[in-house]
Amino acid sequence: MKKKPLILVTNDDSIVAPGIRALIEVMKELGDVIVVAPDSPQSAMGHAITINNTLHLEKVKIDAELENEYSCSGTPVDCVKIAVHEILKRKPDLCVSGINHGSNSSINVIYSGTMSAAVEAGIEGIPAIGFSLLDYSWHADFEPSKPYIKKIAQEVLEKGLPDGVVLNVNLPKTEIKGIKVCRQAKAVWEERFDKRINPQGKEYYWLTGEFVNLDKGEDTDEWALKNDYISVVPVQFDLTAHHAIQQLNTWNLK
C-alpha cells in the first residue's frame, strides 16, 4: 500500500484564519497533514525570525479530524523551522503556505510572510508552494480556488520542483479562467508616511502608499490576475544576480 504524502501547512494570517482552514481541507484530500502556524497575524513579516525572544509552541485542537496542529508565537519562518527541527519525524513531502487573505504578486513577494514560509521550506529541501487570494476580506470565498489548489499541489507532489525553486501562486477573486505560468511583474510601491500626533503629544507614523504596476507584459502575474487567471511564478531563493557577475569582474577591485 502506497504511503500517504506528509504535508506541512502554515500561513501568516494565524492558525484560525479562514484561508488556512480552507487550505487544510484541500490538503487532507492529498495526504497526512501537520499544521504549524502563528498564533496571531504575521502579515508582511518577510523572512523575519525570532532570535531575541523565546518561542512558544502549543498543541491545539481546531479540526476534529487532525491530530497534529500547533500554534506558534513566532513568525511564519519560525513555524517552518520549528516544525522541521522539533515536531516532524521526517522531512515532509510538501509544504504549503496560505491561503493568504490578499495577493502576493509582483514585488509583494519580498514582504510576504506567506511566501517567506514557503521559501524557508525550500531552503530546507522541501517542495513548497505559497497560495494567496486577491481578496483581503476575512470572509473571502475560498471555495472556487480549492480545485485549482489541489491540482497544483498534486502536480508538485508527483513531479517535484527544480532545485532552489518554490512556487508563488496567486488566485483571482473573480471567476477563474485557468492557470498561467508567469514571471513576476515589475512594480513598485509609491510609499509615504502619514504623520500624526497621539493624545500625549508625541508624533507617530502610519505607512501608506499606492501599488504601481510598471510592467505592460502579458506574461506577468499582474496581467494574469487582472484577466482572471491564476498566476504561478517559480521563485528562486538564490538572490545572486548571475547576469551581473561578468560586468563586476571588469571593475578594478584588486
Side-chain angles (χ1 to χ4, degrees):
M1 196 171 172
K2 192 176 180 182
K3 197 172 185 180
K4 279 186 175 184
L6 178 62
I7 303 172
L8 173 63
V9 182
T10 190
N11 75 342
D12 74 354
D13 287 318
S14 86
I15 195 166
V16 298
I20 195 172
R21 307 324 299 181
L23 187 58
I24 290 165
E25 286 301 313
V26 177
M27 292 304 118
K28 286 195 299 187
E29 298 176 19
L30 299 177
D32 293 324
V33 173
I34 291 182
V35 182
V36 184
D39 60 10
S40 60
Q42 298 284 326
S43 295
M45 289 299 291
H47 214 90
I49 57 174
T50 302
I51 58 173
N52 292 321
N53 290 303
T54 55
L55 281 175
H56 299 276
L57 192 67
E58 181 182 359
K59 193 167 187 178
V60 296
K61 193 72 174 177
I62 299 173
D63 187 322
E65 296 179 6
L66 287 183
E67 293 299 322
N68 294 296
E69 285 199 76
Y70 299 85
S71 67
C72 175
S73 63
T75 68
V77 173
D78 289 329
C79 291
V80 174
K81 285 181 177 292
I82 205 165
V84 170
H85 297 289
E86 292 294 326
I87 299 172
L88 297 170
K89 303 302 182 187
R90 66 177 179 90
K91 187 178 291 186
D93 300 289
L94 177 67
C95 175
V96 290
S97 182
I99 306 167
N100 193 65
H101 293 244
S103 75
N104 280 307
S105 56
S106 185
I107 194 65
N108 296 299
V109 69
I110 297 294
Y111 308 108
S112 166
T114 299
M115 276 307 297
S116 289
V119 167
E120 181 63 28
I123 293 170
E124 295 280 356
I126 304 163
I129 316 167
F131 292 101
S132 304
L133 178 68
L134 186 55
D135 188 341
Y136 293 90
S137 169
W138 187 257
H139 302 290
D141 183 6
F142 295 98
E143 287 301 317
S145 301
K146 285 183 175 181
Y148 298 95
I149 289 171
K150 183 178 179 180
K151 182 179 182 65
I152 293 167
Q154 278 179 317
E155 287 292 303
V156 172
L157 282 169
E158 291 173 10
K159 298 172 183 173
L161 289 171
D163 287 343
V165 170
V166 301
L167 298 184
N168 182 19
V169 177
N170 283 277
L171 307 134
K173 179 181 177 180
T174 51
E175 186 173 344
I176 298 169
K177 292 180 180 177
I179 301 172
K180 296 276 189 185
V181 177
C182 306
R183 62 178 175 85
Q184 178 181 315
K186 183 179 180 181
V188 296
W189 279 94
E190 290 187 351
E191 296 166 333
R192 60 185 181 276
F193 286 90
D194 186 1
K195 183 177 177 180
R196 304 181 186 181
I197 306 294
N198 71 12
Q200 287 75 40
K202 290 188 176 181
E203 294 178 351
Y204 68 97
Y205 298 86
W206 278 107
L207 175 61
T208 183
E210 181 181 356
F211 181 73
V212 180
N213 182 13
L214 305 172
D215 202 321
K216 304 305 178 186
E218 296 185 0
D219 58 343
T220 71
D221 49 8
E222 288 297 322
W223 184 93
L225 289 171
K226 187 177 179 181
N227 289 274
D228 306 325
Y229 289 95
I230 295 169
S231 67
V232 178
V233 177
V235 174
Q236 63 180 20
F237 43 83
D238 174 2
L239 299 182
T240 307
H242 293 277
H243 66 281
I245 290 175
Q246 186 175 355
Q247 179 184 345
L248 268 61
N249 278 331
T250 66
W251 292 9
N252 183 19
L253 297 176
K254 296 180 181 178

